[in-house]
Amino acid sequence: MRNRLAKLSFKWRLAIKLALFGLATIATLYPRPDLLWKQAGNLRDLEALINAPLASLPEINAAIDKQLTPDATTIDELAAVERFVWNAIRYEYDWDNWSNVDYWPSAAEVWERKREDCDGQAVLAASILRSRGFDDANRVS
């Protein structure tokens, strides 16, 4: 085998080395290949992360409503959602939480684990805001 590789041209040897390096890098950064494939799907359709079914939304929204006064503004509501997510979801790096260097979970996965880094917290906050009638950061539907 060694002699066969040595007889290959420089371009082929370089291609093989780069491929092996790439595979080793992926295996090191993503030791859970199931989450790597899921991550690829999640990044293709970010809206699916936000619109994923989250059975706890009524309970979450009730807790947020308790923080709001009757004369609360849109800014107050945004701040209440931010405060709720900050208090309910402990910050934890993806490596410690998912055993991968990066993973964007659905809102349901974040709520189930109660720990996530900034992208998971953002997905949960966006899901809550969407359920409260927000189309985007500026408008309410």
Side-chain angles (χ1 to χ4, degrees):
M1 176 84 169
R2 183 172 179 225
N3 289 336
R4 267 194 264 167
L5 289 176
K7 291 178 183 177
L8 291 175
S9 70
F10 172 77
K11 288 181 184 178
W12 276 106
R13 288 193 319 265
L14 180 63
I16 291 169
K17 289 176 185 179
L18 288 174
L20 290 173
F21 178 75
L23 288 173
T25 301
I26 289 172
T28 301
L29 297 177
Y30 294 93
R32 290 199 47 202
D34 60 318
L35 289 182
L36 175 62
W37 292 119
K38 194 172 178 183
Q39 170 79 346
N42 289 350
L43 291 176
R44 265 187 252 123
D45 187 11
L46 295 176
E47 283 293 318
L49 294 176
I50 295 169
N51 293 325
L54 180 56
S56 301
L57 275 174
E59 152 195 336
I60 291 169
N61 282 319
I64 292 168
D65 288 339
K66 286 180 185 177
Q67 297 178 23
L68 297 172
T69 61
D71 61 338
T73 65
T74 300
I75 298 298
D76 295 332
E77 189 173 2
L78 291 170
V81 170
E82 178 184 21
R83 203 170 30 254
F84 177 84
V85 171
W86 183 257
N87 291 327
I89 306 301
R90 179 173 54 96
Y91 188 94
E92 188 168 295
Y93 293 106
D94 284 339
W95 189 260
D96 298 324
N97 196 12
W98 300 100
S99 300
N100 274 7
V101 72
D102 192 33
Y103 178 66
W104 286 27
S106 68
E109 290 172 313
V110 174
W111 188 248
E112 180 182 317
R113 286 188 178 236
K114 301 278 197 275
R115 61 186 194 269
E116 184 51 49
D117 66 358
C118 54
D119 49 37
Q121 291 174 344
V123 166
L124 179 61
S127 298
I128 294 168
L129 289 169
R130 184 75 50 88
S131 76
R132 297 179 73 82
F134 285 81
D135 287 335
D136 61 34
N138 299 314
R139 291 181 296 136
V140 177
S141 58

